[in-house]
Amino acid sequence: MDFCDVLIAGGGPAGSSCAWALRHSGLHVVVLDKQNFPRDKICGGWITPEVLTALKIEPDSYASHGVLQPITAFKTGCIGRHSPAATDYGTPVSYGVRRCEFDYYLLKRCDARIRYGVSVNTIERSGKDWVVNGDIRARLLVGAGGHFCPVARKLTRAIAAPVVAQETEFEMDSEQQTRCPVGGTVPELYFCPDLKGYGWCFRKGKFLNVGLGRLDPHELPAHVDQFLKFLSARNAFFHQVPRLRGHAYLLYGTSPRPFAGDGFLLVGDSAGLAYPQSGEGILPAIESGLMASEVILSARGDYSPTRLEAYARKLAHRFGHTSGSWAMRAARHLPAHTLRFAARQLILRPRLARSIVLDRWFLHR
Ligand SMILES: Cc1cc2nc3c(=O)[nH]c(=O)nc-3n(C[C@H](O)[C@H](O)[C@H](O)COP(=O)(O)OP(=O)(O)OC[C@H]3O[C@@H](n4cnc5c(N)ncnc54)[C@H](O)[C@@H]3O)c2cc1C
């Protein structure tokens, strides 16, 4: 039987950030991930600069390892309407990364013992310890396995309506790179008419990422189809977009999963932390991994619920209370036609699109 102090189930940004922050702690940390890295992750790969700041990553240094596409402007529009509006910031306000590179980079520098290609299958309590897969004993479990995290599924009974999204990322050949109408520094965002989701075209050097996410899980394929037809009608280039693949995740304030309990913490998508307005999940995953590490250190080996509940307080302090903003609560009670009208005003008026949609919802400015 192997032994560790902290077993992190999942080596995405949440799990690797937690491990990275514990690297000088003297604690024996093991990360298990069911996949072999580098691995793909269904994601747009858009990150805000706080991601790099939180992890002390110099943009130039990262760019020497992999794709780091600076974003200095956005185009925003509505699906079905032409002529998106451009908002230019004149300086990088976000970046684009490839998740296959980014996640591997984070894992390699976290200095923990990493077991690639090992799925967490069984979790049993043994006194105050956990026994995982019958062969690793751990004092504390960190659930970092994303939306379908085995720790969250074993220790909590959570059913909530997730965001559903589909995307594809493909490498363009030189002819496609010339013909691609999307500029690397200017991602394009097209909102669904009911504002329950948006599609994106996001170029990162020679890679193009196209996708659409929605709060309403029922008719995603129809919305994706409508979006692709809209893009293709604007430019025949989009006929070449390969098939999109889907995944789900929970937004902050919609997940009934507890953040912590007796001997466990949930971080990132496992806890359901993505920003409700933009769906950005990488930053909350990283920040929650870092907060979890602070709580682990201050618990000094006492992983009882009373010591670990400090983590839930930190999350509430950082992301607000889980009932959501007053605007979101009010929106749930508004009739559909009022919402559609409000959505059109927001997206189609350049000043509102910049100050509310981009500055506030997407860029935290
Ligand atoms: C289509 C789409 C587009 C998105 N675009 C963006 C975007 O542009 N920007 C953004 O900020 N967010 C985006 N998100 C959200 C973002 O991808 C997630 O919020 C983020 O990846 C969460 O990180 P995580 O570490 O919690 O989980 P993950 O990145 O999902 O990592 C979980 C890890 O756990 C491993 N794992 C799972 N089960 C097990 C098991 N049983 N045993 C061992 N290991 C296991 C997995 O292999 C994986 O490596 C998008 C999501 C989707 C679906």
Side-chain angles (χ1 to χ4, degrees), residues 56-214:
K56 300 188 170 48
I57 295 173
E58 284 297 326
D60 288 346
S61 147
Y62 181 81
S64 66
H65 290 81
V67 174
L68 186 71
Q69 171 66 61
I71 293 168
T72 57
F74 288 90
K75 282 186 184 169
T76 47
C78 267
I79 296 172
R81 286 185 172 241
H82 291 256
S83 313
T87 304
D88 193 352
Y89 291 91
T91 184
V93 288
S94 286
Y95 295 94
V97 293
R98 301 197 67 223
R99 289 293 299 272
C100 51
E101 296 171 351
F102 185 68
D103 290 15
Y104 195 28
Y105 172 88
L106 298 186
L107 257 188
K108 280 191 292 188
R109 65 180 210 144
C110 73
D111 221 11
R113 215 168 98 218
I114 299 162
R115 290 175 61 181
Y116 295 104
V118 178
S119 176
V120 170
N121 293 326
T122 61
I123 300 170
E124 306 296 337
R125 204 60 164 141
S126 168
K128 287 195 161 194
D129 294 347
W130 299 97
V131 176
V132 170
N133 293 350
D135 65 0
I136 310 180
R137 182 175 280 273
R139 298 293 323 285
L140 176 75
L141 268 186
V142 176
H147 183 60
F148 299 106
C149 177
V151 180
R153 285 170 12 137
K154 162 85 183 176
L155 302 177
T156 70
R157 263 183 249 127
I159 301 168
V163 166
V164 285
Q166 290 187 0
E167 65 87 58
T168 183
E169 184 164 295
F170 64 101
E171 182 171 356
M172 296 181 284
D173 61 28
S174 51
E175 194 219 325
Q176 288 174 319
Q177 287 175 49
T178 315
R179 290 180 41 234
C180 177
V182 183
T185 52
V186 194
E188 302 185 6
L189 307 176
Y190 296 97
F191 290 81
C192 299
D194 59 4
L195 209 65
K196 284 189 178 170
Y198 65 91
W200 63 87
C201 304
F202 186 8
R203 181 174 182 168
K204 309 162 202 176
K206 58 185 177 182
F207 299 91
L208 185 67
N209 189 299
V210 176
L212 182 136
R214 271 185 70 79

Side-chain angles (χ1 to χ4, degrees), residues 218-238:
H218 302 298
E219 289 175 1
L220 181 69
H223 285 278
V224 169
D225 195 47
Q226 197 185 356
F227 178 50
L228 293 176
K229 283 189 178 132
F230 162 71
L231 293 177
S232 304
R234 290 183 62 225
N235 193 311
F237 173 87
F238 290 101

Side-chain angles (χ1 to χ4, degrees), residues 13-14 33-34 39 43-46 99 120 145 150 249 269 280-282:
D33 199 292
K34 68 178 180 183
R39 58 102 176 89
C43 183
W46 154 65
R99 289 293 299 272
V120 170
Y249 60 116
D269 277 5
E280 177 186 9
I282 300 172

